[in-house]
């Protein structure tokens, strides 16, 4: 280690005594004695005795500190030049040097005064005062510089002493200050590097990405600054070295003095020290920087691990939440879609997890310091990925078995429904003949052949096959369908027995049971006649009788047969109306109590699908309002018509406004059907149907109100047939018109709610009077000629809605919904205010066309109806609107 770097800071440096050095009362010229002793010269200096002791001591001490320890140990040679001075000056110089010279002395040369008297005095004085100088080295008095040359070679003496040594005092001071500054720079730089290295070694690694990035950036920036300091210091040393060597560079004959050579060696040692320090620091920095980069890699890895782990945990939690295996084919298919969606959703996180695990393994292979932290995380990522993949496969397997199971159950259920439909569709009157009975038997036998491919397998094998997915609900559903199969089979067995009896030769056909009105008691109660007919027909259909609920369920299957067996007389029509009204009320009650109320049953809440939550009003509409009206009001009123059939028409006329509740129900029906298609296969509805012992599902019963309002018009038409040209005919016709008007209003409202794109409020347009589809030609007088020509000859299909205030033009669109029947919607295109329209009945001799013009014929619409009757109906209705507006204005 270089001693300059290890020594304490010297008490004196050139810059501290720069003024004293510039006075040049003592110089270190760089010359050496024959044995290499450094030479210090005290040139002639007029005010030498006036120099303060401190200044003298500082300069001499500084000069003796410059040569190397090796040279200084030889001892210094002092040359005192007092040729132009007096003996007193010589004496003062020797005394001061003897008392204050800090280094070892080898020789002292004194160039005595040149004047004769002073020389003589000097000779005497040196003899007298030699001991007073207390010098342990010889003091040699010289008369001239030539005498000095006998002791010291000329090459080691400056020109003032007759030598050839080149010496410039200002340049010497400049070199000394530069060397000392460079030494201080080297020391400071080394201390800075050491301090920075200590800080780096003691720095705790951060625990997050941002702090690690900031620390790496800070350390890198500090490192770059220190490297710049090093480069600057090296450049400073190189420049200084060049300056010291400049004489040799300038002239090949020039040589550096020993002191200058020592200066070169000092600077070279300092540069070497800088180089060694830089190498050691770079080596340490490389390790530290690598550790910081690995720390940053680790923090990124840990951050990514936490994010991916959280995503994977959420995926696993979501997957664990897919415990439902479905209660129907549709539900299972939806679950498979959800599972597929989850699998696709998990694809990206799984790929990220695999990629992150691979990255972690690469870090381990690159000798990362945190192997023990990285490896468990890689293992955890791969484990979760494997768990998700395996669990997904299990879900697919279970859902696949569930789908297969429910398809089998659906096939069996569909077979039962088809069987029930077949039994219900076999007309009683056709089966009275031998040929008709045989035909019905053949139909049944052909149908029963298909039983093998639809019925469930052996129960034990079935449970073994689907044991892993047989929940209590699915078991209950399977048992219900098995029971249904048995019931249908029993119905077929009984029907076959009945048909075989009818197929045998008979002397006369079997007559319906319903008694003739003349033979029955006057105004017999329908409560007596109906059960007999129903019982007979129920036996004919083979329906098992298991109480009132079962009879109500079977009633739906044989309703068509009952209608054909009832007399067409007025009394029997009233009876049929009352009986069907009672059944209708009972069915509404069963729906409300058996389904709607059960949605609030806490024991069944877990069976209700999430899509059905808080949507009871959508599914059932205003069914409770309809039930209340029929049960409390309408049924009682028509029951009063048993003795007085002529009062029936008044019931409908009186309740015209109340029957408008069906409009609201029918308007809600599309939403109800859409909700049923979504949730109809749920366990909840199956459980409710099982408790009610209904053969038909809820959607069939929700259709009852729509069927009921249309049933009234049929019964009223039958009443009119029986009462032509009799009292009450006019009222019946008015009642029929009322019901038809209600049906039309319901139908119109169903079309109205399908209007899309109209920005206003349809309810503000007044009453909807008419709606229908037409061919429409338009003529806009303000338009371009080609546009007008094209408009005249190219008809558009438009659906018109006539309100009391507005006429809307819409375009009809039909779309398939979820594979079900097409539903129409009407896209709004244009509207005309009825207060500004006019009408022309016949257009160019075509009796199916009429013309509507708008704003003084600026816009003309030629409308073609499908029939003359439809055209006349619309013209009549439009004229009523216009006439009403005119009267209002008057």
């Amino acid at each position: 280690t270089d001693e300059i770097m290890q020594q304490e800071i010297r008490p004196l440096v050139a810059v501290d005594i720069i003024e004293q050095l510039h006075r040049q009362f003592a110089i270190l010229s760089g010359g050496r004695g024959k044995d290499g002793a450094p030479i210090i010269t005290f040139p002639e200096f007029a005010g030498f005795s006036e120099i303060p002791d401190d200044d003298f001591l500082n300069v001499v001490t500084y000069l003796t500190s410059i040569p190397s320890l090796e040279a200084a140990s030889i001892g210094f040679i002092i040359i005192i030049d007092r040729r132009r001075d007096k003996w007193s000056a010589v004496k003062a110089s020797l005394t001061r040097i003897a008392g204050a010279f800090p280094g070892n002395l080898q020789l002292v040369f004194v160039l005595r005064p040149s004047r004769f008297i002073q020389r003589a005095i000097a000779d005497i004085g040196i003899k007298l005062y030699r001991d007073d100088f207390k010098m342990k080295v010889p003091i040699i008095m010289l008369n001239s510089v030539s005498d000095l040359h006998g002791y010291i070679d000329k090459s080691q003496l400056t020109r003032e002493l007759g030598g050839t040594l080149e010496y410039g005092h200002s340049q010497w001071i400049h070199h000394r200050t530069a060397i000392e500054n460079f030494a201080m720079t080297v020391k400071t730089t080394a201390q800075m590097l050491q301090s920075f290295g200590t800080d780096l070694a003691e720095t705790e690694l951060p625990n997050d990405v941002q702090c690690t990035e900031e620390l790496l950036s800070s350390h890198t920036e500090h490192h770059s600054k220190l490297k710049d300091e090093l480069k600057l210091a090296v450049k400073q040393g190189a420049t200084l070295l060049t300056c010291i060597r400049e004489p040799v560079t300038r002239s090949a004959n020039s040589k550096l003095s020993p002191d200058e050579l020592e200066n070169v060696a000092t600077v070279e040692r300092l540069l070497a020290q800088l180089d060694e320090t830089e190498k050691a620091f770079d080596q340490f920095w490389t390790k530290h920087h690598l550790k910081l980069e690995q720390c940053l890699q680790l923090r990124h890895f840990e951050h990514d691990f936490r994010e991916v782990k959280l995503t994977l945990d959420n995926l696993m939690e979501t997957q664990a939440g897919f415990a439902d295996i479905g209660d129907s084919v549709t539900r299972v298919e939806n679950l498979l879609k959800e599972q597929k969606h989850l699998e696709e959703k998990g694809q990206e996180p799984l790929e990220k997890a695999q990629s992150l695990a691979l990255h972690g393994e690469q870090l381990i292979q690159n000798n990362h310091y945190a192997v023990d932290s990285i490896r468990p995380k890689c293992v955890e990522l791969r484990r979760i990925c494997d768990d998700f993949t395996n669990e997904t496969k299990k879900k697919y397997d279970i859902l696949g078995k569930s789908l297969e199971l429910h398809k089998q159950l659906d096939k069996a259920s569909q077979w039962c429904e088809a069987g029930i439909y077949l039994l219900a569709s076999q007309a009683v009157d056709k089966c009275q003949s031998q040929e008709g009975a045989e035909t019905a038997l053949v139909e049944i036998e052909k149908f029963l052949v298909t039983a093998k491919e639809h019925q469930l397998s052996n129960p034990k094998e079935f449970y073994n096959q689907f044991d892993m997915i047989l929940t209590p609900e699915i078991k209950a559903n399977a048992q219900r369908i098995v029971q249904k199969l048995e019931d249908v089979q029993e119905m077929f067995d009984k029907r076959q027995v009945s048909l075989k009896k009818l197929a045998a030769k008979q002397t006369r056909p079997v007559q319906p049971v319903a008694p003739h009105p003349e033979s029955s008691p006057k105004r017999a109660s329908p409560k007596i006649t109906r059960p007999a007919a129903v019982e007979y027909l129920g036996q004919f259909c083979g329906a098992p009788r298991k109480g009132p609920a079962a009879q109500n369920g079977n009633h739906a299957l044989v309703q068509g047969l009952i209608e054909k067996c009832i007399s067409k007389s007025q009394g029997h029509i009233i009876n049929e109306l009352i009986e069907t009204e009672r059944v209708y009320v009972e069915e509404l009650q069963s729906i409300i109590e058996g389904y709607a109320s059960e949605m609030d049953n806490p024991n069944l809440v877990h069976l209700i699908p999430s899509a059905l939550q808080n949507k009871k009003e959508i599914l059932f509409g205003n069914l409770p309002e309809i039930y209340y009206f029929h049960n409390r009001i309408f049924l009682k009123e028509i029951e009063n018509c048993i003795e007085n059939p002529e009062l029936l028409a008044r019931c409908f006329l009186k309740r015209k406004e109340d029957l408008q509740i069906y409009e609201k129900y029918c308007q809600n029906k599309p939403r109800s059907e859409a909700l049923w298609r979504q949730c109809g296969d749920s366990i909840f509805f199956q459980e409710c149907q099982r408790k009610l012992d209904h053969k038909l599902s809820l959607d069939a019963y929700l259709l009852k109100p729509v069927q009921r309002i249309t049933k009234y018009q049929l019964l009223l038409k039958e009443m009119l047939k029986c009462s032509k040209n009799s009292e009450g005919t006019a009222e019946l016709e008015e009642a029929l018109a009322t019901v038809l008007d209600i049906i039309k209003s319901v139908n119109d409202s169903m079309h109205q709610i399908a209007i899309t794109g109209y920005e206003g409020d349809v309810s503000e347009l007044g009453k909807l009077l008419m709606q229908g589809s037409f061919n429409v030609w338009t003529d806009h007088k303000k338009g371009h000629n080609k546009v007008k020509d094209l408009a005249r000859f190219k008809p558009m299909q438009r659906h018109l809605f006539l309100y009391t205030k507005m006429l809307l033009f819409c375009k009809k669109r039909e779309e398939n919904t979820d594979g079900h029947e097409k539903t129409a919607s009407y896209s709004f295109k244009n509207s005309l205010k009825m207060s500004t329209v006019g009408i022309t009945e016949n257009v160019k001799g075509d009796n199916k066309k009429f013309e509507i013009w708008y704003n003084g014929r600026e816009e003309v619409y030629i409308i073609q109806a499908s029939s003359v009757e439809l055209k006349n109906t619309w013209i009549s209705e439009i004229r009523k609107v216009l006439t009403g507006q005119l009267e209002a204005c008057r």
Side-chain angles (χ1 to χ4, degrees), residues 138-154:
I139 300 175
I140 300 173
M141 301 295 289
L142 302 174
N143 293 324
S144 63
V145 293
S146 57
D147 294 341
L148 181 61
H149 296 162
Y151 294 97
I152 301 174
D153 190 84
K154 288 183 178 183

Side-chain angles (χ1 to χ4, degrees), residues 435-692:
E435 183 179 356
E438 289 177 348
T439 301
L441 277 171
V442 170
E443 289 177 351
I444 290 173
E445 289 171 357
K446 285 183 179 179
F447 184 78
L448 290 176
V449 171
T450 64
K452 292 182 180 179
E453 60 187 71
H454 294 299
Q455 292 185 39
L456 296 173
S457 58
N458 181 280
K460 185 176 181 180
E461 295 178 2
F462 175 81
Y463 288 129
N464 290 337
Q465 184 180 1
F466 299 104
D467 181 55
M468 61 187 297
I469 63 169
L470 278 175
T471 63
E473 292 80 7
I474 296 178
K475 285 181 180 179
N477 187 32
Q479 291 169 356
R480 182 181 63 81
I481 291 177
V482 170
Q483 183 62 45
K484 191 174 183 180
L485 282 168
E486 293 176 356
D487 291 345
V488 172
Q489 187 63 50
E490 183 182 354
M491 292 167 68
F492 272 112
D493 292 342
K494 291 185 177 181
R495 175 64 66 86
Q496 283 178 313
V497 171
S498 300
L499 289 174
K500 286 177 181 178
K501 292 179 180 179
L502 291 171
K505 290 184 179 181
Q506 301 178 33
T507 56
R508 60 186 182 86
V510 177
Q511 298 296 325
V513 168
H516 194 275
E518 296 178 355
S519 62
S520 59
K522 185 177 181 180
R523 307 297 180 191
S525 171
K527 295 180 181 178
I528 300 173
T529 59
R530 178 181 175 274
V534 172
E535 182 179 3
Y536 170 79
L537 294 169
Q539 290 176 351
F540 182 80
C541 291
R545 287 170 291 168
K546 299 180 180 179
Q551 289 179 3
N552 287 341
N554 293 332
H555 181 272
L557 302 175
V558 299
Q559 185 63 39
L561 305 178
I562 294 174
E563 292 174 0
K564 293 180 181 178
C565 295
I566 295 177
S567 171
K568 302 301 182 181
S569 66
Q570 200 174 53
H572 281 268
I573 294 173
I574 293 289
N575 290 340
E576 181 179 0
L577 173 60
I578 294 173
E579 283 304 311
T580 54
E581 184 74 12
R582 288 171 177 164
V583 172
Y584 176 55
V585 169
E586 290 175 3
E587 289 173 338
L588 293 182
Q589 183 181 5
S590 69
I591 295 171
I592 293 170
E593 294 179 354
Y595 287 98
S597 298
E598 287 296 281
M599 291 182 68
D600 300 322
N601 185 348
N603 296 327
L604 298 178
V605 168
H606 66 285
L607 299 179
I608 300 176
S610 58
L612 192 61
Q613 296 288 344
N614 302 320
K615 293 183 180 178
K616 181 165 67 175
E617 290 74 13
I618 295 177
L619 183 62
F620 297 100
N622 62 332
L623 196 67
E625 182 183 8
I626 294 173
Y627 168 69
Y628 179 86
F629 167 69
H630 283 271
N631 183 46
R632 297 290 184 89
I633 301 171
F634 201 58
L635 175 59
K636 294 179 180 179
E637 290 183 354
I638 62 174
E639 282 179 340
N640 293 333
C641 298
I642 293 176
E643 300 296 333
N644 301 293
E646 64 275 4
L647 298 178
L648 180 64
R650 297 179 188 176
C651 292
F652 285 94
L653 293 174
K654 180 182 177 182
R655 297 301 172 185
K656 177 179 179 180
E657 295 299 326
D658 294 322
L659 289 169
Q660 294 294 334
I661 57 178
Y662 281 91
E663 182 175 337
K664 181 179 178 181
Y665 185 82
C666 292
Q667 286 178 347
N668 180 68
K669 199 69 177 67
R671 299 173 66 203
S672 174
E673 289 175 349
L675 185 59
W676 173 259
R677 286 195 295 270
Q678 187 178 358
C679 309
D681 293 332
S682 71
I683 295 288
F684 171 75
F685 291 118
Q686 294 175 8
E687 180 65 17
C688 292
Q689 184 179 349
R690 184 189 65 78
K691 288 182 179 180
L692 293 170

Side-chain angles (χ1 to χ4, degrees), residues 832-856:
L832 304 178
K833 290 183 179 179
M834 294 303 296
S835 59
T836 57
V837 303
I839 186 169
T840 305
E841 290 193 26
N842 294 315
V843 180
K844 296 180 181 180
D846 191 337
N847 59 2
K848 293 183 182 179
K849 292 182 179 178
F850 62 98
E851 182 179 85
I852 293 178
W853 40 271
Y854 186 61
N855 279 346

Side-chain angles (χ1 to χ4, degrees), residues 308 312 348-361 378 381-383 385-386 389:
V308 172
L312 291 178
E348 183 179 353
L350 288 176
E351 290 177 357
K352 283 185 179 179
Q354 295 288 0
S355 176
L356 188 60
L358 182 62
H359 176 59
E361 291 176 353
C378 295
L381 288 173
R382 296 193 184 281
R383 182 193 65 76
C385 290
D386 292 341
T389 303

Side-chain angles (χ1 to χ4, degrees), residues 773-776 794-800 810-812 829:
S773 294
F774 299 89
N775 287 332
V776 178
K794 185 176 181 180
M796 297 177 292
Q797 294 293 326
R798 290 291 182 264
H799 200 90
L800 273 58
C810 300
K811 185 175 183 179
K812 185 176 182 180
K829 294 297 181 182

